[in-house]
Amino acid sequence: MRAAPRILSVFIILCLTGSFIIMPLQAQPVGWSGDDNLAFLLEINDTSATDSDANNPIPIVLTEPVEFVVTIDVGANLTLKSGSFSMFYLSIPIFNQPFDLNVPLINGVSETILNTSLDLSTLTPGGVDLVSGTIEGTFSLTYTLFGSSDNVTVTENFALAIGATGAGALSSVTGMITVGFAVMAVFSLLLSLDEFQKGIFAARKMRKGKTAKDIGIFPAPVVLRRRPKKKEKIGKEELIGRVKQAFPGAEEVAQYAPKALNVVRPKSKVPVGKLAKSLHLKREQGGILAAAMTHLGIFQTKSVKTPLKKVAFSGMSLAFTYWSIMQLMYNTTPDILTVMFSVVAGLIISVLVGYFMAWMARVPKLGYD
């Protein structure tokens, strides 16, 4: 795709400074762009760029070169200063090439200044389409009238349709990646909501009692903490003995109490489920040990584990993949501001939902008393 820009400036200058046909200026027909001073016709595969938009993109085949032809019609004495050619895929720049000209032109010049092709076969290695959907493009020319220092830019946008449309677009590499991200975002959101639900049920149980002994076995999502500064001044055997006496059913797990101190370190936050896994205990056994040590004031709990960040990321990802799928299947071409607004809106909504569920999962403070 970078072969054309390297020859673009030279080709245009040669055409404009060489011999050209001076033709009388006529009213511009349909399909031309620009203004009364500098009109131009951009043709892509023999189709005018003015006939293409997001709803009517120009179909191209990646295995065949794409023909670009630009013809100008000058209506005033001017200097053609520069030009620019750019293309975007999913609102991401994939090609951007400005070029300097500084060529003086007189009223009445009509000339083809560009007739080249772009080879896009590199986007189909092994016959597999890397991209599919709509490519948006912009071609512009900048000029200055004789005797004026003001630059004037005339621009035309175009849209290209690559590969299959509809459901067939999802078979491309881009389509499969997009679908993969969408599926991952949906599953991540569902798993996060399930984790939130477990946290809400755990919090509901924790709110039923005023002490750890009243509650009984701590649920797996309950988060355990330790004092940030003070260190428990208690021997190993004494700790085991106190745990045995502190809680019904703690006798069989009391020997794990010293190791639990190595798992739940000062200033750390460790869910009961992680404590049980680290000590190779069943969840119920870990819940008993956590309740006993909280009852003794060694641990403290005032929250349950809630996947707020996962929910927020999933909502943001779904908002982005929505526009990706819409572009792949329906040639929708939202601008970058629309995409960003959707992503931010998805993030805000997800965060609000997450905070609401976190409020439902609130837990009274237990321990350190």
Side-chain angles (χ1 to χ4, degrees), residues 14-184:
L14 289 175
C15 289
L16 295 178
T17 57
S19 59
F20 49 77
I21 302 175
I22 299 179
M23 300 176 63
L25 182 63
Q26 299 177 355
Q28 300 302 335
V30 176
W32 285 67
S33 309
D35 56 22
D36 293 338
N37 298 322
L38 179 62
F40 68 92
L41 172 64
L42 170 61
E43 294 178 291
I44 305 172
N45 287 354
D46 298 324
T47 300
S48 172
T50 60
D51 295 331
S52 70
D53 54 31
N55 297 322
N56 300 285
I58 300 172
I60 63 173
V61 180
L62 293 177
T63 55
E64 299 178 1
V66 183
E67 303 293 334
F68 288 88
V69 179
V70 178
T71 303
I72 63 170
D73 202 342
V74 183
N77 297 331
L78 54 83
T79 299
L80 189 57
K81 303 284 289 185
S82 61
S84 178
F85 183 59
S86 57
M87 291 192 292
F88 303 83
Y89 181 72
L90 295 176
S91 298
I92 300 173
I94 60 173
F95 184 84
N96 185 26
Q97 181 62 48
F99 47 89
D100 296 324
L101 295 172
N102 292 317
V103 178
L105 298 172
I106 61 175
N107 185 355
V109 171
S110 181
E111 184 70 27
T112 297
I113 64 171
L114 175 65
N115 188 347
T116 189
S117 61
L118 294 180
D119 183 6
L120 303 179
S121 60
T122 54
L123 297 177
T124 58
V128 178
D129 293 346
L130 292 182
V131 298
S132 183
T134 303
I135 286 183
E136 297 176 281
T138 301
F139 180 81
S140 64
L141 294 171
T142 300
Y143 69 87
T144 302
L145 295 174
F146 283 3
S148 173
S149 60
D150 297 331
N151 290 332
V152 181
T153 300
V154 288
T155 303
E156 183 58 59
N157 299 323
F158 60 87
L160 308 178
I162 299 179
T165 58
L170 301 180
S171 62
S172 67
V173 173
T174 303
M176 290 186 288
I177 292 175
T178 300
V179 171
F181 270 108
V183 172
M184 288 174 59

Side-chain angles (χ1 to χ4, degrees), residues 177-200:
I177 292 175
T178 300
V179 171
F181 270 108
V183 172
M184 288 174 59
V186 170
F187 272 101
S188 178
L189 181 60
L190 292 176
L191 291 174
S192 298
L193 293 177
D194 179 66
E195 192 172 342
F196 252 125
Q197 184 181 44
K198 293 178 180 178
I200 292 172

Side-chain angles (χ1 to χ4, degrees), residues 213 238-251 254 292 295-296:
K213 185 172 289 188
E238 183 181 355
L239 175 61
I240 294 174
R242 290 178 60 182
V243 170
K244 287 181 179 180
Q245 298 175 1
F247 207 84
E251 296 84 358
H295 183 71
L296 290 171

Side-chain angles (χ1 to χ4, degrees), residues 75 207 275 295:
R207 292 196 295 267
L275 173 67
H295 183 71

